[in-house]
Amino acid sequence: MKRLVLFAGMVYLLMSCAGSPGFSDGKGDMDWQLFRGDAALSGYTDTPLPEDPVLLWSYKGNTRTVSSPVVDKGTTYWCDKKGHIQGIDIKGNPAFSYDLNTAVEATPMIHDSILYIGRIDGFLSAVSLSKKDTLWNFETMGQVSATPNTVNFEGRQSVVFGSYDNFLYCVDARDGSEINRFESGYYLNGAVAVWKEHVIFGGCDSWLRIINTRTGMPTDSLLLDAYIPASPAIMGDFCYVGDYSGNIYELLLEKGKIVRHKKIMKSTNENSSFVSVLSITSETVYALSYERYLYSINRKDGKVNWKYLLKGNVGESSPLVCDDRVIVCTKTGIVTILDTQKGTLEWEYDTGEQIIGSPAVIRDHFFVLTTKGTLLCFGNK
């Protein structure tokens, strides 16, 4: 196990930013407020998918985006590459529009009617959905491409996110004032996952790091075989993460330490990279490989339950487990739903446009956003 190296150039520790995984799960019946559905980035929801999905409507945003959609009170939001935030209601009608007037690639996060989003020019912006106005901007020295997450600081709502300036930041959600920051070894591209009073994140320097958000101290780290292109996913006291060379790691966490770790899948060829976030249930890990397979891996023994060859090239879209089914999108534009136990195909839809973002699920509906800015809403007939 590798210990975290403290960099000489560290300006601040992430002092006293107390974490709480229950701060904003984004799992209301009509809400999907966080990337991956919860602060642990588990990619699991007990909200079932529509039994026999049909396309209810589509809305063409007409501007390219790499964002995933988020949903608040039935209205779906995203930001395009020109910085235009759009909100479309449950009927497919425009309900919100706001221009940041700068390039954006990040997926937003919503809490308490405020949308938080990173920008290519290095700012994190807080936008009021009710006032349609920017509440505050926090400046970093590098682009912010990762979606933010939430922690709790002594009762204060706080936002935690990484930047290409190599720092992990914790800021007050109300006014954007800096609480503290922590320097990593390279730029931070993925979201952090919240585990109890800790945040866990990987970077392009191949290190997976754990920070205690109450004390601000780094508590442990692990050097992986290759860089970490996506975020870790957590279920209970177990953390799972894939690296670019095609390995999947399981880490058992206890009191801020990695007490045990192992590879539950080893790289087999150069095309088996994992660039999307894993999905975790109580028994299974679901992983989308660059070689076009969706894997179901038994958490107990690491054996592959099944693997399913998807149509077309895959991208960065992450699988999502919804009760007893798993939904996954490919870069080619195919949306696929499989049975979680058998891996059998239950439903498939060709959007005709590339997909990089991950789906969002609410009661009786799910949403897919294409790179052309087309939002598709699926539901029951």
Side-chain angles (χ1 to χ4, degrees), residues 12 102 117-126 134 136-144 161-172 175-181:
Y12 299 99
T102 187
I117 192 165
R119 301 164 21 177
I120 295 298
D121 61 3
F123 286 87
L124 182 82
S125 294
T134 298
W136 51 259
N137 293 310
F138 179 87
E139 185 176 14
T140 75
M141 299 304 292
Q143 73 181 55
V144 180
F161 65 98
S163 168
Y164 274 37
D165 66 2
N166 301 357
F167 281 95
L168 179 72
Y169 292 92
C170 181
V171 300
D172 191 299
D175 58 18
S177 58
E178 181 176 325
I179 297 173
N180 37 56
R181 65 176 80 175

CSV table of all heavy atoms in Angstrom, one decimal, residues 12 102 117-126 134 136-144 161-172 175-181:
chain,number,residue,atom,x,y,z
A,12,TYR,N,-2.7,24.8,1.1
A,12,TYR,CA,-3.6,24.6,2.2
A,12,TYR,C,-4.0,23.1,2.3
A,12,TYR,O,-4.0,22.4,1.2
A,12,TYR,CB,-4.9,25.3,2.1
A,12,TYR,CG,-4.8,26.8,2.0
A,12,TYR,CD1,-4.8,27.5,0.8
A,12,TYR,CD2,-4.8,27.5,3.2
A,12,TYR,CE1,-4.8,28.9,0.8
A,12,TYR,CE2,-4.7,28.9,3.1
A,12,TYR,CZ,-4.7,29.6,1.9
A,12,TYR,OH,-4.6,30.9,1.9
A,102,THR,N,-19.3,31.5,-21.7
A,102,THR,CA,-18.0,30.9,-21.7
A,102,THR,C,-18.1,29.4,-21.9
A,102,THR,O,-19.1,28.8,-21.6
A,102,THR,CB,-17.2,31.2,-20.4
A,102,THR,OG1,-15.8,30.8,-20.5
A,102,THR,CG2,-17.9,30.5,-19.2
A,117,ILE,N,-21.7,24.6,-11.4
A,117,ILE,CA,-21.1,24.1,-12.7
A,117,ILE,C,-19.7,24.6,-12.9
A,117,ILE,O,-19.5,25.8,-12.6
A,117,ILE,CB,-22.0,24.4,-13.9
A,117,ILE,CG1,-21.5,23.6,-15.1
A,117,ILE,CG2,-22.1,25.9,-14.1
A,117,ILE,CD1,-22.5,23.5,-16.2
A,118,GLY,N,-18.8,23.8,-13.3
A,118,GLY,CA,-17.4,24.2,-13.6
A,118,GLY,C,-17.3,24.7,-15.0
A,118,GLY,O,-18.1,24.3,-15.9
A,119,ARG,N,-16.3,25.5,-15.3
A,119,ARG,CA,-16.1,26.2,-16.6
A,119,ARG,C,-14.7,26.0,-17.1
A,119,ARG,O,-13.8,25.8,-16.3
A,119,ARG,CB,-16.5,27.7,-16.5
A,119,ARG,CG,-17.9,27.9,-16.0
A,119,ARG,CD,-18.2,29.3,-15.5
A,119,ARG,NE,-17.3,30.4,-16.0
A,119,ARG,CZ,-17.5,31.7,-15.7
A,119,ARG,NH1,-18.6,32.0,-14.9
A,119,ARG,NH2,-16.7,32.6,-16.1
A,120,ILE,N,-14.5,26.0,-18.4
A,120,ILE,CA,-13.2,25.9,-19.0
A,120,ILE,C,-12.3,27.0,-18.6
A,120,ILE,O,-11.1,26.8,-18.5
A,120,ILE,CB,-13.3,25.8,-20.5
A,120,ILE,CG1,-14.1,24.5,-20.9
A,120,ILE,CG2,-12.0,25.7,-21.2
A,120,ILE,CD1,-13.5,23.2,-20.5
A,121,ASP,N,-12.8,28.2,-18.3
A,121,ASP,CA,-12.0,29.3,-18.0
A,121,ASP,C,-11.5,29.3,-16.5
A,121,ASP,O,-10.9,30.2,-16.0
A,121,ASP,CB,-12.7,30.7,-18.3
A,121,ASP,CG,-14.0,30.9,-17.5
A,121,ASP,OD1,-14.3,30.0,-16.7
A,121,ASP,OD2,-14.7,31.9,-17.7
A,122,GLY,N,-11.9,28.2,-15.8
A,122,GLY,CA,-11.3,28.0,-14.4
A,122,GLY,C,-12.3,28.4,-13.3
A,122,GLY,O,-11.9,28.3,-12.1
A,123,PHE,N,-13.5,28.8,-13.6
A,123,PHE,CA,-14.4,29.2,-12.6
A,123,PHE,C,-15.4,28.1,-12.2
A,123,PHE,O,-15.7,27.3,-13.1
A,123,PHE,CB,-15.2,30.4,-13.0
A,123,PHE,CG,-14.4,31.7,-13.0
A,123,PHE,CD1,-13.7,32.1,-14.1
A,123,PHE,CD2,-14.4,32.5,-11.8
A,123,PHE,CE1,-13.0,33.3,-14.1
A,123,PHE,CE2,-13.7,33.7,-11.8
A,123,PHE,CZ,-13.0,34.1,-12.9
A,124,LEU,N,-15.8,28.1,-11.0
A,124,LEU,CA,-17.0,27.3,-10.6
A,124,LEU,C,-18.1,28.3,-10.4
A,124,LEU,O,-17.9,29.3,-9.6
A,124,LEU,CB,-16.8,26.5,-9.3
A,124,LEU,CG,-18.0,25.6,-8.9
A,124,LEU,CD1,-18.1,24.3,-9.8
A,124,LEU,CD2,-18.0,25.3,-7.5
A,125,SER,N,-19.2,28.2,-11.0
A,125,SER,CA,-20.3,29.1,-10.9
A,125,SER,C,-21.5,28.5,-10.2
A,125,SER,O,-21.8,27.3,-10.3
A,125,SER,CB,-20.8,29.6,-12.3
A,125,SER,OG,-19.8,30.3,-13.0
A,126,ALA,N,-22.2,29.4,-9.4
A,126,ALA,CA,-23.4,29.0,-8.7
A,126,ALA,C,-24.5,29.8,-9.3
A,126,ALA,O,-24.5,31.1,-9.2
A,126,ALA,CB,-23.3,29.2,-7.2
A,134,THR,N,-26.5,34.6,-11.7
A,134,THR,CA,-25.3,34.0,-11.0
A,134,THR,C,-25.2,34.5,-9.6
A,134,THR,O,-25.1,35.8,-9.4
A,134,THR,CB,-24.0,34.4,-11.8
A,134,THR,OG1,-24.1,33.8,-13.1
A,134,THR,CG2,-22.8,33.8,-11.1
A,136,TRP,N,-22.6,33.5,-7.4
A,136,TRP,CA,-21.2,33.7,-7.2
A,136,TRP,C,-20.3,32.9,-8.2
A,136,TRP,O,-20.8,32.0,-8.7
A,136,TRP,CB,-20.8,33.4,-5.7
A,136,TRP,CG,-21.2,32.1,-5.2
A,136,TRP,CD1,-22.2,31.8,-4.4
A,136,TRP,CD2,-20.5,30.8,-5.4
A,136,TRP,NE1,-22.2,30.5,-4.1
A,136,TRP,CE2,-21.2,29.8,-4.7
A,136,TRP,CE3,-19.4,30.4,-6.2
A,136,TRP,CZ2,-20.8,28.5,-4.7
A,136,TRP,CZ3,-19.0,29.1,-6.2
A,136,TRP,CH2,-19.8,28.1,-5.4
A,137,ASN,N,-19.1,33.4,-8.3
A,137,ASN,CA,-18.1,32.6,-9.1
A,137,ASN,C,-16.9,32.4,-8.3
A,137,ASN,O,-16.4,33.3,-7.6
A,137,ASN,CB,-17.7,33.4,-10.4
A,137,ASN,CG,-18.8,33.5,-11.4
A,137,ASN,OD1,-19.5,32.5,-11.7
A,137,ASN,ND2,-19.1,34.7,-11.8
A,138,PHE,N,-16.3,31.2,-8.3
A,138,PHE,CA,-15.1,30.9,-7.6
A,138,PHE,C,-14.0,30.6,-8.6
A,138,PHE,O,-14.2,29.8,-9.5
A,138,PHE,CB,-15.2,29.8,-6.6
A,138,PHE,CG,-14.0,29.4,-5.9
A,138,PHE,CD1,-13.7,30.0,-4.7
A,138,PHE,CD2,-13.1,28.4,-6.4
A,138,PHE,CE1,-12.5,29.7,-4.0
A,138,PHE,CE2,-11.9,28.1,-5.7
A,138,PHE,CZ,-11.6,28.8,-4.5
A,139,GLU,N,-12.9,31.3,-8.6
A,139,GLU,CA,-11.8,31.2,-9.6
A,139,GLU,C,-10.7,30.2,-9.2
A,139,GLU,O,-10.2,30.3,-8.1
A,139,GLU,CB,-11.2,32.6,-9.9
A,139,GLU,CG,-10.2,32.5,-11.0
A,139,GLU,CD,-9.7,33.9,-11.4
A,139,GLU,OE1,-9.9,34.8,-10.6
A,139,GLU,OE2,-9.0,34.0,-12.5
A,140,THR,N,-10.4,29.3,-10.1
A,140,THR,CA,-9.2,28.5,-9.9
A,140,THR,C,-8.2,28.9,-11.0
A,140,THR,O,-8.5,29.8,-11.9
A,140,THR,CB,-9.5,27.0,-10.0
A,140,THR,OG1,-9.8,26.7,-11.4
A,140,THR,CG2,-10.8,26.7,-9.2
A,141,MET,N,-7.1,28.2,-11.1
A,141,MET,CA,-6.1,28.6,-12.1
A,141,MET,C,-6.0,27.6,-13.2
A,141,MET,O,-5.1,27.5,-14.0
A,141,MET,CB,-4.7,28.7,-11.5
A,141,MET,CG,-4.6,29.8,-10.4
A,141,MET,SD,-5.1,31.4,-11.0
A,141,MET,CE,-3.8,31.7,-12.2
A,142,GLY,N,-7.1,26.7,-13.4
A,142,GLY,CA,-7.1,25.7,-14.4
A,142,GLY,C,-8.6,25.4,-14.7
A,142,GLY,O,-9.5,25.7,-14.0
A,143,GLN,N,-8.8,24.8,-15.9
A,143,GLN,CA,-10.2,24.5,-16.3
A,143,GLN,C,-10.8,23.5,-15.3
A,143,GLN,O,-10.2,22.7,-14.7
A,143,GLN,CB,-10.2,23.9,-17.7
A,143,GLN,CG,-9.7,22.5,-17.8
A,143,GLN,CD,-9.8,22.0,-19.3
A,143,GLN,OE1,-9.2,22.7,-20.2
A,143,GLN,NE2,-10.5,20.9,-19.5
A,144,VAL,N,-12.1,23.7,-15.1
A,144,VAL,CA,-12.9,22.8,-14.2
A,144,VAL,C,-13.8,21.9,-15.1
A,144,VAL,O,-14.8,22.4,-15.6
A,144,VAL,CB,-13.7,23.6,-13.2
A,144,VAL,CG1,-14.5,22.6,-12.3
A,144,VAL,CG2,-12.8,24.5,-12.4
A,161,PHE,N,-14.7,20.0,-5.4
A,161,PHE,CA,-14.5,19.8,-6.9
A,161,PHE,C,-13.0,20.0,-7.2
A,161,PHE,O,-12.2,20.6,-6.4
A,161,PHE,CB,-15.3,20.8,-7.7
A,161,PHE,CG,-14.8,22.2,-7.5
A,161,PHE,CD1,-14.0,22.8,-8.4
A,161,PHE,CD2,-15.3,23.0,-6.5
A,161,PHE,CE1,-13.6,24.1,-8.3
A,161,PHE,CE2,-14.9,24.3,-6.3
A,161,PHE,CZ,-14.0,24.9,-7.2
A,162,GLY,N,-12.5,19.4,-8.3
A,162,GLY,CA,-11.2,19.5,-8.7
A,162,GLY,C,-11.0,20.4,-9.9
A,162,GLY,O,-11.9,20.6,-10.6
A,163,SER,N,-9.7,20.8,-10.1
A,163,SER,CA,-9.4,21.7,-11.2
A,163,SER,C,-8.1,21.2,-11.9
A,163,SER,O,-7.4,20.4,-11.3
A,163,SER,CB,-9.2,23.1,-10.7
A,163,SER,OG,-8.6,23.9,-11.7
A,164,TYR,N,-7.9,21.7,-13.1
A,164,TYR,CA,-6.7,21.4,-13.8
A,164,TYR,C,-5.5,22.1,-13.3
A,164,TYR,O,-4.4,22.0,-13.8
A,164,TYR,CB,-6.9,21.7,-15.3
A,164,TYR,CG,-7.5,20.6,-16.1
A,164,TYR,CD1,-8.5,19.8,-15.6
A,164,TYR,CD2,-7.1,20.3,-17.4
A,164,TYR,CE1,-9.1,18.8,-16.4
A,164,TYR,CE2,-7.6,19.3,-18.2
A,164,TYR,CZ,-8.6,18.6,-17.6
A,164,TYR,OH,-9.2,17.6,-18.4
A,165,ASP,N,-5.7,22.9,-12.2
A,165,ASP,CA,-4.5,23.6,-11.6
A,165,ASP,C,-4.0,22.6,-10.5
A,165,ASP,O,-3.1,23.1,-9.7
A,165,ASP,CB,-4.9,24.9,-11.0
A,165,ASP,CG,-5.9,24.8,-9.8
A,165,ASP,OD1,-6.3,23.7,-9.5
A,165,ASP,OD2,-6.3,25.9,-9.3
A,166,ASN,N,-4.4,21.4,-10.5
A,166,ASN,CA,-4.0,20.3,-9.6
A,166,ASN,C,-4.5,20.4,-8.1
A,166,ASN,O,-4.1,19.6,-7.3
A,166,ASN,CB,-2.4,20.3,-9.5
A,166,ASN,CG,-1.8,20.1,-10.8
A,166,ASN,OD1,-2.4,19.9,-11.8
A,166,ASN,ND2,-0.4,20.1,-10.8
A,167,PHE,N,-5.5,21.3,-7.9
A,167,PHE,CA,-6.0,21.4,-6.6
A,167,PHE,C,-7.4,20.9,-6.5
A,167,PHE,O,-8.2,21.0,-7.4
A,167,PHE,CB,-6.1,22.9,-6.1
A,167,PHE,CG,-4.7,23.5,-5.7
A,167,PHE,CD1,-3.9,24.1,-6.5
A,167,PHE,CD2,-4.3,23.3,-4.4
A,167,PHE,CE1,-2.7,24.6,-6.1
A,167,PHE,CE2,-3.1,23.8,-3.9
A,167,PHE,CZ,-2.3,24.5,-4.8
A,168,LEU,N,-7.7,20.3,-5.3
A,168,LEU,CA,-9.1,19.9,-4.9
A,168,LEU,C,-9.6,21.0,-4.0
A,168,LEU,O,-8.9,21.4,-3.0
A,168,LEU,CB,-9.1,18.6,-4.2
A,168,LEU,CG,-10.4,18.1,-3.7
A,168,LEU,CD1,-11.3,17.7,-4.8
A,168,LEU,CD2,-10.2,17.0,-2.7
A,169,TYR,N,-10.7,21.6,-4.3
A,169,TYR,CA,-11.2,22.8,-3.5
A,169,TYR,C,-12.5,22.4,-2.8
A,169,TYR,O,-13.3,21.6,-3.2
A,169,TYR,CB,-11.6,23.9,-4.5
A,169,TYR,CG,-10.4,24.5,-5.2
A,169,TYR,CD1,-10.0,24.1,-6.4
A,169,TYR,CD2,-9.7,25.6,-4.6
A,169,TYR,CE1,-8.9,24.6,-7.0
A,169,TYR,CE2,-8.6,26.2,-5.2
A,169,TYR,CZ,-8.2,25.7,-6.5
A,169,TYR,OH,-7.1,26.3,-7.1
A,170,CYS,N,-12.6,23.1,-1.6
A,170,CYS,CA,-13.9,23.0,-0.8
A,170,CYS,C,-14.3,24.4,-0.6
A,170,CYS,O,-13.6,25.2,0.0
A,170,CYS,CB,-13.6,22.3,0.5
A,170,CYS,SG,-15.1,22.2,1.5
A,171,VAL,N,-15.5,24.8,-1.1
A,171,VAL,CA,-16.0,26.2,-1.0
A,171,VAL,C,-17.4,26.1,-0.4
A,171,VAL,O,-18.1,25.2,-0.5
A,171,VAL,CB,-16.0,26.9,-2.3
A,171,VAL,CG1,-14.6,26.9,-3.0
A,171,VAL,CG2,-17.0,26.2,-3.3
A,172,ASP,N,-17.7,27.2,0.3
A,172,ASP,CA,-19.1,27.4,0.9
A,172,ASP,C,-20.1,27.5,-0.2
A,172,ASP,O,-20.0,28.3,-1.1
A,172,ASP,CB,-19.1,28.7,1.8
A,172,ASP,CG,-20.3,28.8,2.6
A,172,ASP,OD1,-21.4,28.8,2.1
A,172,ASP,OD2,-20.2,28.8,3.9
A,175,ASP,N,-22.0,31.2,-0.4
A,175,ASP,CA,-21.4,32.4,-1.0
A,175,ASP,C,-20.1,32.2,-1.8
A,175,ASP,O,-19.5,33.2,-2.3
A,175,ASP,CB,-21.0,33.4,0.2
A,175,ASP,CG,-20.1,32.8,1.2
A,175,ASP,OD1,-19.5,31.8,1.0
A,175,ASP,OD2,-20.1,33.4,2.4
A,176,GLY,N,-19.7,31.0,-1.9
A,176,GLY,CA,-18.5,30.7,-2.7
A,176,GLY,C,-17.2,31.0,-2.1
A,176,GLY,O,-16.1,30.9,-2.8
A,177,SER,N,-17.2,31.3,-0.8
A,177,SER,CA,-15.9,31.6,-0.1
A,177,SER,C,-15.1,30.3,0.1
A,177,SER,O,-15.7,29.2,0.3
A,177,SER,CB,-16.2,32.2,1.2
A,177,SER,OG,-17.0,31.4,2.0
A,178,GLU,N,-13.8,30.4,-0.1
A,178,GLU,CA,-13.0,29.2,0.0
A,178,GLU,C,-12.8,28.7,1.5
A,178,GLU,O,-12.5,29.5,2.4
A,178,GLU,CB,-11.6,29.4,-0.6
A,178,GLU,CG,-10.7,28.2,-0.5
A,178,GLU,CD,-9.3,28.5,-1.2
A,178,GLU,OE1,-9.3,29.2,-2.2
A,178,GLU,OE2,-8.3,28.0,-0.7
A,179,ILE,N,-13.1,27.5,1.7
A,179,ILE,CA,-12.9,26.9,3.0
A,179,ILE,C,-11.4,26.3,3.1
A,179,ILE,O,-10.7,26.6,4.0
A,179,ILE,CB,-13.9,25.7,3.3
A,179,ILE,CG1,-15.3,26.3,3.3
A,179,ILE,CG2,-13.6,25.0,4.6
A,179,ILE,CD1,-16.4,25.3,3.4
A,180,ASN,N,-11.0,25.6,2.0
A,180,ASN,CA,-9.6,25.2,2.0
A,180,ASN,C,-9.4,24.5,0.6
A,180,ASN,O,-10.3,24.3,-0.2
A,180,ASN,CB,-9.3,24.2,3.1
A,180,ASN,CG,-10.5,23.3,3.5
A,180,ASN,OD1,-11.0,22.6,2.6
A,180,ASN,ND2,-11.0,23.4,4.7
A,181,ARG,N,-8.2,24.0,0.5
A,181,ARG,CA,-7.8,23.3,-0.8
A,181,ARG,C,-6.7,22.3,-0.5
A,181,ARG,O,-6.0,22.4,0.5
A,181,ARG,CB,-7.4,24.3,-1.8
A,181,ARG,CG,-6.1,25.1,-1.5
A,181,ARG,CD,-5.6,26.0,-2.6
A,181,ARG,NE,-6.3,27.2,-2.6
A,181,ARG,CZ,-6.0,28.2,-3.5
A,181,ARG,NH1,-5.0,28.1,-4.3
A,181,ARG,NH2,-6.7,29.3,-3.4
